[in-house]
Amino acid sequence: MEKVITRNWGKPGSATIDGAIANGGYKAAEKAVKELDSKTIIETVKASGLRGRGGAGFPTGLKWSFVPQDTGKPIYLCVNADESEPGTFKDRFIMENDPHMLVEGVIIASKALNCHHAFIYIRGEFFQQTKIVKQAVKEAYAKGFLGKGIFGSDYELKVTVHNGFGAYICGEETGLINSLEGKKGQPRIKPPFPAVSGLYNCPTVVNNVESLCAVPWIINNGADAYKKTGTEKSPGTKLFSVSGHVNRPGVYEIPLGLPLTTFINDPAWAGGIWKGRKLKACIPGGSSVPVLTAPQCEGVNLDYESLAAAGTMLGSGGMIVMDETTDMVHMLKILAHFYAHESCGQCTPCRTGTHWAYEVMSRIDAGEGRMEDLDLLIRIADGMAGQTICVLADALAMPIKSFVPKFRAEFEAKIKRKAA
């Protein structure tokens, strides 16, 4: 498999502009700016089948094509680098190892959108990564790759790097836009969607870091070359950040469609379950997606369609692996605490439901639960899912509705130990 995103990681100076240029960087941006029109870039990315790598998996080129070009308003591009989902840390590695690949992706996407001001919104806790990206942007300006007349053309692009304040909800695109405008980082009711009315009520596209980093390779090599890797409906490569009970936690670029158990057990990837133990469960796409039991992991491939058929999601590719010693009750309590803490409080089912679920989980985990609490948890989750402006409530509802039925015996055992 030819690496798309991680091909320069570990090379000397890969985070500097001279290193990027030595590795072939900015050739695609120059080609896009000087030789390609907006329609050609969009159609190329659409033909590649690239899907958003932040979690939703929406086709990137199609998203760009929704932006109206005749409103007379400015068009904005926002890069979502507010990576906060537990278990997900791939974008952090991109920014550390190859920030110029991101800047190049921003240039190409901006040219496609007829955008002249792009924003890179970075998670508040990413101090070092922000420093690296700001330096990359500064170097790009100095080389004439950003600013007025880039690459000797008449195209102009300004890039602003902006830090969030560490709120998970700002990873939701309209929460991010509100935060950029200086408002509370709370999601907006849709429609209108950002493509029509986003930042400053202007047409806006919000793209994930990894999504944009795939674009230079596609422009250089073509859509057909990109589709040679992966599956028919999930083409290309994908970064997976794997954590938990594996021998080799880290970030890996894999061909979409790779068997999940191969990824966990192969020495080239996660290297197997640590300490010679057995696999108990796996959350394949970030903490918000339904958990899979060990038997369910068999025969499942790491692509959008296969994981959906297994009742879970590819999400952000933030894989959490749990061995046979894992306390699944305690694990769900930890997840409930995270989502209760990160709820923005705008919608009652989320504001109340996440905290209520955490309270119930806390008493079960403490050995003070009641058998009826298990059905109560499901009812709370049912009252949250699909009932709010954004999907944060669903992000806890889905784990509850998978952990409780799949590991019900463990939940009942904790409750019965108290009763005994």
Side-chain angles (χ1 to χ4, degrees):
M1 178 200 78
E2 182 176 353
K3 292 180 178 178
V4 173
I5 307 294
T6 63
R7 63 183 185 275
N8 298 325
W9 293 14
K11 294 181 181 177
S14 65
T16 67
I17 197 160
D18 289 337
I21 292 172
N23 294 324
Y26 289 103
K27 288 183 178 177
E30 184 173 10
K31 178 181 178 182
V33 169
K34 296 171 70 172
E35 301 175 20
L36 305 179
D37 59 22
S38 172
K39 183 179 178 182
T40 301
I41 299 171
I42 292 175
E43 290 303 318
T44 300
V45 175
K46 283 172 70 174
S48 75
L50 175 66
R51 297 168 66 167
R53 304 306 197 210
F58 193 82
T60 301
L62 187 61
K63 191 175 193 178
W64 294 355
S65 71
F66 290 156
V67 175
Q69 297 288 333
D70 58 353
T71 66
K73 296 180 178 179
I75 295 169
Y76 295 111
L77 170 67
C78 297
V79 180
N80 188 347
D82 191 53
E83 186 176 57
S84 310
E85 177 103 345
T88 305
F89 45 92
K90 63 184 181 63
D91 294 340
R92 189 187 80 190
F93 273 60
I94 291 174
M95 290 186 281
E96 291 173 356
N97 287 283
D98 200 346
H100 285 283
M101 184 179 284
L102 172 60
V103 176
E104 186 173 15
V106 168
I107 295 170
I108 298 169
S110 296
K111 176 68 190 307
L113 295 166
N114 195 26
C115 161
H116 297 285
H117 193 174
F119 296 82
I120 302 176
Y121 186 100
I122 303 179
R123 175 181 172 174
E125 293 90 340
F126 282 0
F127 299 112
Q128 185 62 27
Q129 293 76 16
T130 300
K131 185 178 177 181
I132 293 170
V133 172
K134 283 186 173 179
Q135 178 63 26
V137 169
K138 181 180 178 181
E139 291 174 345
Y141 269 109
K143 285 285 186 183
F145 299 165
L146 293 175
K148 294 182 178 179
I150 65 177
F151 298 112
S153 72
D154 60 357
Y155 180 62
E156 178 179 354
L157 176 62
K158 178 181 179 181
V159 172
T160 300
V161 179
H162 182 89
N163 268 122
F165 270 79
Y168 171 74
I169 195 60
C170 289
E172 197 278 342
E173 60 180 5
T174 56
L176 183 155
I177 288 170
N178 272 346
S179 176
L180 265 178
E181 292 182 353
K183 302 171 182 173
K184 284 184 179 179
Q186 293 180 322
R188 299 177 180 177
I189 294 174
K190 297 182 281 287
F193 291 95
V196 174
S197 181
L199 187 64
Y200 308 125
N201 296 322
C202 295
T204 301
V205 165
V206 181
N207 279 143
N208 170 259
V209 171
E210 184 185 352
S211 308
L212 290 173
C213 287
V215 173
W217 195 96
I218 293 169
I219 296 299
N220 275 331
N221 298 277
D224 289 341
Y226 189 73
K227 290 192 294 187
K228 287 180 179 177
T229 304
T231 70
E232 181 180 355
K233 294 183 178 179
S234 296
T237 67
K238 173 83 184 77
L239 297 190
F240 273 79
S241 52
V242 57
S243 60
H245 300 151
V246 293
N247 288 314
R248 301 180 69 239
V251 177
Y252 299 96
E253 183 172 9
I254 69 164
L256 284 167
L258 184 74
L260 190 159
T261 51
T262 299
F263 179 66
I264 292 176
N265 295 317
D266 194 296
W269 312 110
I273 307 300
W274 74 344
K275 300 180 180 179
R277 294 174 182 166
K278 296 179 181 177
L279 174 67
K280 181 175 187 177
C282 172
I283 300 173
S287 63
S288 60
V289 311
V291 67
L292 297 175
T293 64
Q296 287 181 312
C297 292
E298 298 289 341
V300 175
N301 297 330
L302 293 174
D303 59 67
Y304 295 97
E305 291 72 29
S306 182
L307 287 164
T312 186
M313 300 165 65
L314 184 142
S316 59
M319 183 180 292
I320 303 171
V321 177
M322 292 160 275
D323 73 17
E324 58 190 324
T325 69
T326 305
D327 181 339
M328 302 304 283
V329 179
H330 189 66
M331 181 70 183
L332 182 57
K333 174 195 162 186
I334 292 171
L335 295 182
H337 177 263
F338 173 80
Y339 289 107
H341 178 73
E342 294 293 344
S343 173
C344 76
Q346 186 173 206
C347 305
T348 301
C350 180
R351 180 181 66 247
T352 302
T354 54
H355 283 271
W356 191 6
Y358 174 61
E359 288 180 16
V360 174
M361 280 305 309
S362 294
R363 69 172 179 244
I364 294 174
D365 191 44
E368 299 171 351
R370 304 166 302 206
M371 201 58 72
E372 56 266 34
D373 281 341
L374 301 182
D375 292 334
L376 176 59
L377 278 171
I378 298 298
R379 289 202 301 276
I380 294 172
D382 285 339
M384 292 161 56
Q387 304 300 316
T388 51
I389 293 173
C390 77
V391 295
L392 192 145
D394 297 69
L396 177 56
M398 288 190 286
I400 289 174
K401 296 179 73 171
S402 58
F403 270 73
V404 173
K406 291 179 181 180
F407 299 97
R408 189 178 179 97
E410 284 192 40
F411 285 79
E412 290 181 350
K414 274 206 171 180
I415 294 170
K416 288 176 180 176
R417 276 202 294 273
K418 170 65 175 177

